[in-house]
Amino acid sequence: MRYALGIEYDGTDFRGWQRLGDGSASLQGALEAALSFVAGHPVEVVCAGRTDSGVHGQCQVVHFDSTATRSEYAWLMGTNTRLPRSMAVRWVTPVSDAFHARFGARARRYRYRILNRRVRPALDARFVTWERLPLDADAMHQAAQALLGEHDFSAFRSSQCQAAHARRDMQRLDVSRHGEEIHVEVRANAFLHHMVRNLVGSLLPVGRGEQSVAWMKQVLDGRDRSLAGPTAPAQGLLFIGPLYPAQCQLPQEVTL
């Protein structure tokens, strides 16, 4: 039987989502170990979108198959008792055998948080990026609108990216100020490796007044990673979660 689950995590102490051959801490490895204990047999999972080392997840969606007879409550509570405190399964539900967490997702959403004040963070240091120079959120938002729609995002693609092509459909890219924080909200059909962090790293010079609003469009059209800004730190990035068609019958937070 196939199941889908939603999981949240603090990615600080992990080498990223993907299970690694060297045995280092990965989110996938921790989840598979917990599920395998509950199932009584080895379980492998497929996620909606792999996150990098230090990146957090609000509702990562995963699917897995099991022959074990377990209630949704047993999967949920049993798995959580075996996970580290920085991970928690939020829900588990049976799904069709045709459901695929990665290929079935129609969109993916991220939020990047920037603490914009003179003093570095203490309480939120694991979850925000600090920028001490004043940022113009309105200028950053205006610059970001040039990236909406389907484009070749080669300028914001890491050299390690293994995607077949760089064309992506950017559905939302909003920048707004919330007190001392600036939030960058991003939604697209899919993302390239380090794409969101590279976008943020290019928006920061605009916010500091070092580049013009028009510069982001020039970088996009140039399709050259060396023309864009540096990669923003991982800790400010949160994978909010994917979105699926209503017929998948998943919780509302991951449904279109």
Side-chain angles (χ1 to χ4, degrees), residues 81-151:
T81 62
R82 305 294 296 187
L83 287 174
R85 293 180 63 84
S86 52
M87 300 177 67
V89 175
R90 296 173 52 181
W91 49 262
V92 181
T93 185
V95 291
S96 161
D97 288 343
F99 175 81
H100 196 284
R102 177 184 175 193
F103 299 131
R106 295 293 178 264
R108 291 155 177 88
R109 299 161 295 162
Y110 284 88
R111 175 181 301 122
Y112 197 95
R113 293 171 59 196
I114 305 165
L115 181 65
N116 189 208
R117 70 184 191 193
R118 295 177 61 186
V119 180
R120 62 173 175 80
L123 291 178
D124 282 342
R126 295 164 69 99
F127 305 106
V128 298
T129 290
W130 175 46
E131 172 58 57
R132 66 179 182 83
L133 297 177
L135 295 174
D136 184 340
D138 291 337
M140 294 169 69
H141 177 76
Q142 187 178 348
Q145 303 317 291
L147 307 184
L148 294 178
E150 185 174 325
H151 302 285

Side-chain angles (χ1 to χ4, degrees), residues 31-216:
L31 179 60
E32 287 179 342
L35 287 169
S36 297
F37 178 85
V38 176
H41 63 75
V43 172
E44 293 187 359
V45 304
V46 175
C47 72
R50 294 179 296 184
T51 50
D52 294 329
S53 177
V55 176
H56 316 295
Q58 178 173 302
C59 192
Q60 171 76 268
V61 173
V62 166
H63 83 253
F64 68 96
D65 297 325
S66 177
T67 56
T69 303
R70 304 284 186 272
S71 67
E72 295 173 37
Y73 181 83
W75 283 118
L76 179 69
M77 302 308 293
T79 302
N80 279 333
T81 62
R82 305 294 296 187
L83 287 174
R85 293 180 63 84
S86 52
M87 300 177 67
V89 175
R90 296 173 52 181
W91 49 262
V92 181
T93 185
V95 291
S96 161
D97 288 343
F99 175 81
H100 196 284
R102 177 184 175 193
F103 299 131
R106 295 293 178 264
R108 291 155 177 88
R109 299 161 295 162
Y110 284 88
R111 175 181 301 122
Y112 197 95
R113 293 171 59 196
I114 305 165
L115 181 65
N116 189 208
R117 70 184 191 193
R118 295 177 61 186
V119 180
R120 62 173 175 80
L123 291 178
D124 282 342
R126 295 164 69 99
F127 305 106
V128 298
T129 290
W130 175 46
E131 172 58 57
R132 66 179 182 83
L133 297 177
L135 295 174
D136 184 340
D138 291 337
M140 294 169 69
H141 177 76
Q142 187 178 348
Q145 303 317 291
L147 307 184
L148 294 178
E150 185 174 325
H151 302 285
D152 183 322
F153 284 92
S154 293
F156 307 101
R157 176 183 190 173
S158 82
S159 59
Q160 292 80 38
C161 184
Q162 299 177 353
H165 62 84
R167 294 200 70 84
R168 295 293 185 268
D169 178 19
M170 184 67 69
Q171 300 167 0
R172 178 187 179 189
L173 184 43
D174 295 335
V175 184
S176 57
R177 178 173 286 279
H178 304 265
E180 292 182 324
E181 285 192 16
I182 289 178
H183 293 178
V184 182
E185 304 276 353
V186 189
R187 170 175 159 173
N189 64 327
F191 290 90
L192 303 165
H193 188 231
H194 284 176
M195 181 173 162
V196 178
R197 291 167 60 190
N198 291 338
L199 288 170
V200 173
S202 299
L203 287 169
L204 285 169
V206 175
R208 291 190 292 258
E210 299 165 359
Q211 297 288 352
S212 69
V213 167
W215 179 69
M216 283 293 287

Side-chain angles (χ1 to χ4, degrees), residues 6-39:
I7 185 168
E8 65 180 45
Y9 50 85
D10 171 355
T12 305
D13 299 325
F14 295 90
R15 290 277 303 280
W17 174 266
Q18 189 171 9
R19 179 180 3 96
L20 302 171
D22 61 6
S24 56
S26 72
L27 294 153
Q28 180 182 3
L31 179 60
E32 287 179 342
L35 287 169
S36 297
F37 178 85
V38 176

